[in-house]
Amino acid sequence: MDKREHFGGRMAVIMAMAGSAIGLGNIWRFPYMAGQNGGAAFILIYIVCSFVLSLPIFLSEAVIGRRSHSNAIGAMKVLSPKTKWRLLGYLSVITPMIIVSYYTIVGGWSVEYFLHSFSLNFGSFVPTGWTVLAFSTVFLALSCIIVALGVKSGIERFSKISIPLLFVLIVVIVVYSVNMPGASKGVDYLLKPDFSKVTGRTFAYALGQSFYSLSLGMGIIITYSSYIRKEENLVVSGMGTAVADLMFAMLAGFAIIPAVFSAGIEPGAGPGLIFETLPFVFSNMGASHHWIGVMISALFFLTVIIAAMTSSISLIEVGVAYLVEEKHFKRGWASLCVFLFTWILGLVSVFSNEAFGIIDAFSSNILLTIGAFIAVLFVGWKMDKEEIRDEITSGGKVNGKVFGLLYFLIRYVAPLAVLTIFVTNFIL
Ligand code: PFF
C-alpha cells in the first residue's frame, strides 16, 4: 500500500499551493508590472494568460504528480521510463534548488528589515555580506525545519495558518495605504487602463509573471499534487490557487503603490521596490507619527517574511521528496542535505548582487519556461488521453464537460502560445 503522506483535504491543498504561489513575485514584481504596462489593461491580459494558458499548464503538472504519486524525477520514471522525457524530471528538481539559493537570501533581507523597522533606520540599500548571510541562514534553516516536519505536520500546518494571516496583514496595510494623502494617484497607476502601452512584450511579461507566480515549471506542482488524494478535484484546486494568487497580487499592489505615490516617488520593481523605496516611505510616515511608521513597516516586512517562507518551503520540498523517494534518505537528512547544498550555492548571491540578478533572471525567465513547456507537451502529446481524463475528472466524477476544453488548451493552445512568446521575446 501507498505509505506516502497526503494533504488533509481540499482546503489544505489550496492553502499549500497558494502558499507556494503567493510570494515575492506578487509583492515586488506584479504591482510594478501592472503599473508600467497599462494598468487595468495589463491586469486583464494577466488574467486571461493565467486562466487560458497557465491553468492548463498547472493542471498538466498536477496530472503528472497525482498520476505518478511520485517526486518530480520519480514521476517521469513512472510515467515514461527510460525516455528523453526524463529531462523534465531533472530540470524540475534542479530549477527549484537554484531558486531557493537566492530566494532565501531575500527572506534574510526581510528578517533584517523587519528588525530595522523598530528603529525605522534601514541603513543602505540591499545589504550584502555577513549579516545577510546570518539572516538568510536562519531563514533557510527555518524553512528546512518546516519541510523536515513532514507534508502534513510541517507544510500543511504552516500554510493553513500563514495564508489567512497573510491576507489579514495585507488588508490592514491596504486600508492604511489607500487613505494616505495623494494615494489616489497610486490607485490610478494600478488601474487606469492604457491600451497604448500594450505591445507583444506585454503578453510575454504577463505570461512570464503568471508562470512564476503560480510556481509553474519547477516541479512544485508535480510534487505537491503527488500528495493530493484521488478524490480531490484538481480543477478546483488549480482555480482556487490562481484566484488566491491573483487577489494577493492585487492587494499587494494597493498596499504598496499608493503609499509610494503619497511619498511623492515613482515606484520601481524588484528588490529596489521593497528594500529601498518602501523603507524611505516608512521612515517618512514615521517622521510625523513614529509608531505608525514602525507598525506599518513591521507588519509589511512580516508579510514579506511569511509569504517568502511558504514559497521557499515548496521549493525545498521538491528536493527533499526526491532524496527521500529516490535515494531513500530519511526526511530529516534529506532536508539537511538540501539546506547544505542550497546554502553553498547561495553564497554567490549573498556576496554579489550581480550574480543574484543573473541567477534570478536565468532561472525565472528561461529554466521555468522550458520546464513548463516540456510538462505541457508531455501531458498533451505523450500521455494517454484517458489517463488524463481520469485525473482531471477524478475518475469520472467531476468536470466531464470542461475536460474537452482543457485538453484542447493543453494539447494545442498552451504549447503554441508558450513557444511563440518564448521565441519572439527571449531568443529573437
Ligand atoms: N511563486 C512564488 C512567487 O510568486 O514569489 C515564487 C516561487 C515559488 C517561484 C516557488 C517558484 C517556485 F517554485
Side-chain angles (χ1 to χ4, degrees), residues 98-109 112 125-140 339 341-360:
I98 297 176
I99 295 185
V100 174
S101 77
Y102 74 82
Y103 207 86
T104 49
I105 292 169
V106 185
W109 294 344
E112 193 167 350
F125 162 57
V126 182
T128 44
W130 298 106
T131 44
V132 179
L133 184 60
F135 284 116
S136 54
T137 305
V138 171
F139 185 92
L140 177 61
F339 170 85
F341 179 78
T342 52
W343 187 83
I344 292 171
L345 202 60
L347 288 176
V348 202
S349 305
V350 168
F351 292 104
S352 153
N353 284 334
E354 207 184 356
F356 177 104
I358 295 172
I359 294 176
D360 175 22

Side-chain angles (χ1 to χ4, degrees), residues 98-159:
I98 297 176
I99 295 185
V100 174
S101 77
Y102 74 82
Y103 207 86
T104 49
I105 292 169
V106 185
W109 294 344
S110 317
V111 176
E112 193 167 350
Y113 275 65
F114 173 73
L115 298 175
H116 285 314
S117 296
F118 295 95
S119 61
L120 288 182
N121 180 4
F122 293 98
S124 64
F125 162 57
V126 182
T128 44
W130 298 106
T131 44
V132 179
L133 184 60
F135 284 116
S136 54
T137 305
V138 171
F139 185 92
L140 177 61
L142 280 177
S143 311
C144 287
I145 290 171
I146 295 172
V147 173
L149 289 174
V151 174
K152 246 177 136 36
S153 338
I155 299 174
E156 177 176 325
R157 196 157 11 128
F158 185 66
S159 312

Side-chain angles (χ1 to χ4, degrees), residues 20-26 99 103 212-215 218 220 311 314-315:
S20 175
I22 294 171
L24 297 165
N26 307 56
I99 295 185
Y103 207 86
Y212 188 81
S213 199
L214 283 172
S215 309
M218 45 199 126
I220 308 248
S311 298
S314 73
L315 293 158

Side-chain angles (χ1 to χ4, degrees), residues 146 154-163 306 309-310 313:
I146 295 172
I155 299 174
E156 177 176 325
R157 196 157 11 128
F158 185 66
S159 312
K160 272 183 163 167
I161 304 168
S162 303
I163 296 300
I306 301 172
M309 196 166 285
T310 51
I313 60 178

